[in-house]
Amino acid sequence: MQMGVAEMTADRLLEGLNPTQREAVAHGEGPLLVLAGAGSGKTRVLIHRVAHLIGRGAAEPFEITAVTFTNKAAREMRERAATLIDAGPGLGGAFVGTFHRWALDILRRWPEAAGLPRRFSIIDSDDQRGLMVKILKDEGLDPKEYPARKVLSRISGHVNRMESVKSLEKRTGDVRIQVVARLWRRYTARKKELGAVDFDDMLALVLKALSSDRAVAASVKRRAQWLLVDEFQDTNKLQMKLLNTVLSEKGNITAVGDEDQSIYRWRGAEMDNILDFERSFPGAHVVALERNYRSTAPILKVSGALIAANAQRRGKKLFTEKDGGEPVQLFIAPGEREEARWVCDRIETLQSKYPLGEMAVLMRTNAQTRPFEEELTRRQVPYRVVGGLRFWQRAEVKDALAYLRLVVRPEDALAFE
Ligand SMILES: Nc1ncnc2c1ncn2[C@@H]1O[C@H](COP(=O)(O)OP(=O)(O)OP(=O)(O)O)[C@@H](O)[C@H]1O
Ligand SMILES: [Mg+2]
């Protein structure tokens, strides 16, 4: 029997996948949840699924909306899916990007539907802080008692949990809540005067545009016939609402995630989105991936034992076929200097077997790099700090951007506040 071109491509798109991964990639219409532990190929499944949908002709590229949590992940997904189907980097017009990118594209195209001026501007976290500092001053509030960042993060939490300022104002018993509500109102008014939108506003504004303009809703829905979401455990209420609003009649949503890797609780991530997936999307097919491709057995065993203590979880098994692997060591140091010294001793020992480029020291916060940096410098071991100040936040870059914004949008006084 002769194979059609579509079938041949489809076959190739299932190469390099294990049977459960294939099942997920080739799943037809209707909701699909891929629930699996770290390093089990969830992202790989999503990439292959995008390619497979296009490659076997089930979807036109422009009917696909795939969302990730970082730009880097989006770029990788786009490039790898494109390679699989020999498409250009644009992936034939499929949308692959972050929730914010998705929202921004929609708002730029239909600002009026969201009640925005044609040339609205986006404010980043430093702009936000600048605005809030001024408001706090105007209100005569002590910044020690009401730090701008804290107030903003409170407001952000409310927005992402879809709570309104009115609901806060009703909680009259608490003075602090009343203050936050008042600050929130003023902050909103100030943004409106400036024609500015912050990151949290974007999704809410998209929802507004979708409900106020049918043509906009129809167009966005057409482009989201096939919805795919990576790191689903990190979605919040607002994002879930948006996904539900644009979901096709067939319920074509693919979510992949791991409830044990939820890292955005503090900004409103809603674990129930993944825990109650089948209730939210009736008829959902659930695939569990159990083979881990990243780690050796000793590492899996230790991490498995640690996360077994997590409260909200569906539970999962993980195995690996990677041979060997050294046992995991626990070293409790009396202080940070001893800790750094011990780690650097290990690095120097390992150096005879592995290149430095394959070693990494992880820490919880940026401030903790210091003793390690000192110790490494003393021993003349070259190192690189990853994830410090981000490029866009460096002073000289911010200045350059402010001037550019003023050129594009002279009324954008905010850039210089
Ligand atoms: N079937 C497979 N055969 C070989 N390698 C695989 C297979 N599936 C996944 N991998 C590899 O395993 C590694 C982890 O895959 P991937 O990043 O997709 O996992 P993940 O579940 O998304 O991880 P995380 O939980 O960290 O997001 C990658 O290097 C990937 O290429
Ligand atoms: Mg992943």
Side-chain angles (χ1 to χ4, degrees):
M1 201 177 70
Q2 255 200 324
M3 270 185 153
V5 177
E7 277 167 84
M8 272 183 344
T9 333
D11 243 32
R12 203 188 53 166
L13 296 175
L14 295 175
E15 261 169 38
L17 298 170
N18 68 35
T20 22
Q21 291 175 329
R22 284 183 189 198
E23 180 189 335
V25 169
H27 172 78
E29 306 220 297
L32 170 70
L33 172 66
V34 178
L35 190 69
S40 58
K42 296 183 296 298
T43 302
R44 189 179 177 116
V45 161
L46 217 54
I47 291 164
H48 277 255
R49 187 157 162 79
V50 167
H52 191 261
L53 283 169
I54 301 173
R56 73 160 188 205
E60 293 293 338
F62 63 80
E63 293 173 328
I64 294 177
T65 291
V67 224
T68 62
F69 272 84
T70 65
N71 288 315
K72 183 164 171 275
R75 196 178 331 116
E76 238 176 80
M77 189 175 289
R78 209 179 304 120
E79 281 166 7
R80 284 171 57 194
T83 310
L84 281 171
I85 52 171
D86 300 319
L91 203 56
F95 175 86
V96 182
T98 60
F99 272 103
H100 287 120
R101 184 77 242 172
W102 185 23
L104 187 58
D105 284 358
I106 296 170
L107 295 176
R108 286 261 184 252
R109 187 147 172 222
W110 297 286
E112 291 91 353
L116 287 172
R118 267 257 127 224
R119 291 156 74 201
F120 64 91
S121 60
I122 312 285
I123 58 178
D124 68 11
S125 56
D126 290 336
D127 298 330
Q128 287 183 290
R129 210 172 68 93
L131 280 186
M132 189 50 79
V133 165
K134 268 212 166 134
I135 296 172
L136 288 164
K137 224 187 209 159
D138 283 355
E139 289 273 326
L141 289 165
D142 180 2
K144 283 214 187 69
E145 201 180 341
Y146 292 94
R149 283 215 187 279
K150 274 239 173 83
V151 173
L152 285 163
S153 117
R154 275 285 188 86
I155 296 175
S156 169
H158 292 305
V159 174
N160 284 310
R161 283 190 295 272
M162 298 187 75
E163 291 156 357
S164 66
V165 65
K166 279 203 190 100
S167 71
L168 280 203
E169 283 164 347
K170 284 195 190 116
R171 288 155 65 180
T172 45
D174 191 327
V175 183
R176 297 183 69 86
I177 291 184
Q178 291 309 308
V179 173
V180 170
R182 199 164 71 238
L183 295 171
W184 187 358
R185 273 215 189 272
R186 291 201 58 171
Y187 174 61
T188 309
R190 189 73 188 110
K191 277 185 300 184
K192 193 151 191 206
E193 276 166 25
L194 292 162
V197 164
D198 69 25
F199 268 46
D200 291 324
D201 292 331
M202 289 193 206
L203 295 190
L205 285 167
V206 165
L207 283 172
K208 185 171 165 192
L210 294 177
S211 66
S212 71
D213 191 325
R214 269 212 214 146
V216 173
S219 176
V220 173
K221 277 187 170 183
R222 206 162 34 241
R223 297 217 48 195
Q225 284 298 302
W226 295 88
L227 266 179
L228 302 103
V229 190
D230 199 5
E231 309 283 4
F232 191 71
Q233 73 280 354
D234 288 328
T235 53
N236 61 37
K237 204 164 174 182
L238 197 53
Q239 291 161 337
M240 183 72 164
K241 169 90 182 164
L242 179 59
L243 293 171
N244 263 310
T245 307
V246 302
L247 187 68
S248 66
E249 285 78 48
K250 298 191 178 105
N252 291 334
I253 178 169
T254 299
V256 316
D258 176 2
E259 80 276 20
D260 290 320
Q261 292 185 61
S262 173
I263 54 170
Y264 290 130
R265 267 288 184 64
W266 54 277
R267 62 179 203 207
E270 194 73 60
M271 284 275 272
D272 290 346
N273 289 352
I274 196 164
L275 297 172
D276 291 340
F277 190 85
E278 295 99 311
R279 205 158 344 129
S280 312
F281 304 102
H285 183 58
V286 182
V287 176
L289 307 178
E290 297 185 334
R291 176 164 172 190
N292 172 296
Y293 289 89
R294 209 181 270 143
S295 312
T296 57
I299 291 174
L300 278 192
K301 211 169 151 202
V302 170
S303 61
L306 286 174
I307 56 179
N310 286 2
Q312 282 182 299
R313 63 192 307 253
R314 301 175 54 141
K316 59 173 77 81
K317 290 180 287 221
L318 270 183
F319 72 94
T320 177
E321 290 189 1
K322 271 201 176 159
D323 284 330
E326 288 182 40
V328 175
Q329 281 187 53
L330 171 68
F331 174 69
I332 300 175
E336 56 174 29
R337 305 221 149 269
E338 293 83 350
E339 183 180 36
R341 228 173 283 138
W342 189 85
V343 170
C344 293
D345 282 346
R346 291 285 296 154
I347 290 173
E348 284 189 326
T349 316
L350 289 168
Q351 226 183 324
S352 58
K353 258 165 75 188
Y354 307 97
L356 280 173
E358 286 181 15
M359 297 183 210
V361 183
L362 303 178
M363 42 212 97
R364 215 160 35 78
T365 63
N366 286 333
Q368 290 168 313
T369 61
R370 184 134 175 230
F372 292 92
E373 292 195 58
E374 283 170 4
E375 191 63 28
L376 289 168
T377 309
R378 199 176 63 74
R379 298 180 191 216
Q380 295 181 320
V381 177
Y383 66 89
R384 201 158 54 93
V385 179
V386 184
L389 255 198
R390 264 181 290 149
F391 179 74
W392 298 108
Q393 262 150 20
R394 286 190 210 149
E396 65 277 21
V397 178
K398 289 211 64 154
D399 286 347
L401 275 181
Y403 281 105
L404 286 175
R405 271 163 65 173
L406 207 62
V407 172
V408 180
R409 196 182 136 87
E411 63 275 35
D412 194 350
L414 183 71
F416 281 93
E417 279 198 14

